[in-house]
Amino acid sequence: MKLAIALGTALALPLILTLPTQAENPAQVQQLLTTNLCAGCDLSGSDLTQAHLIGADLSGADLSGANLTEANLEGADLSGANLEGANLSQAFLTNAILDNAVLDGANLTEAQIYFAEVAGSSWVDANLTGTEIVGTPISIGGD
């Protein structure tokens, strides 16, 4: 009997560990959508598709893996935010502050980035296919 339990546990453990987890804090997601203020919040994995976050304070927020498809982040403060692996496809980032933000592996396909501040930000393996970049010092390409 103990062998059967041990075997069952051994087989079930990998399945349990691969189930998707939701790291976001629902109260903080609601706070963001209600007040546009969520500095330092845990919004990782959040679905913020088409969210209107104009002028939002997301400085230092964890948005890793978040879905921000078609989100309007005009004038948003994302300084020091973690956007690693986030989906920002077709997002609008005019005048956004991305200083010291991490966008490694982020999907910015067809996003619009106009006059954004990006000093010290990291864009390793970010997908910028079809992205419109105007007045923003993002260097695309190799040596």
Side-chain angles (χ1 to χ4, degrees), residues 13-97:
L13 190 58
L15 294 174
I16 293 168
L17 295 176
T18 59
L19 292 175
T21 57
Q22 188 170 356
E24 73 184 44
N25 180 326
Q28 291 181 342
V29 171
Q30 189 58 44
Q31 172 187 331
L32 171 63
L33 297 175
T34 304
T35 67
N36 247 11
L37 303 172
C38 213
C41 287
D42 180 4
L43 303 166
S44 58
S46 298
D47 184 1
L48 296 167
T49 303
Q50 296 182 335
H52 293 275
L53 302 172
I54 299 167
D57 183 357
L58 290 161
S59 57
D62 183 358
L63 289 152
S64 58
N67 186 355
L68 291 151
T69 302
E70 297 181 355
N72 188 340
L73 293 156
E74 181 179 357
D77 183 356
L78 293 153
S79 57
N82 180 4
L83 291 148
E84 188 170 356
N87 185 354
L88 291 145
S89 59
Q90 299 179 338
F92 191 64
L93 292 154
T94 296
N95 298 314
I97 302 168

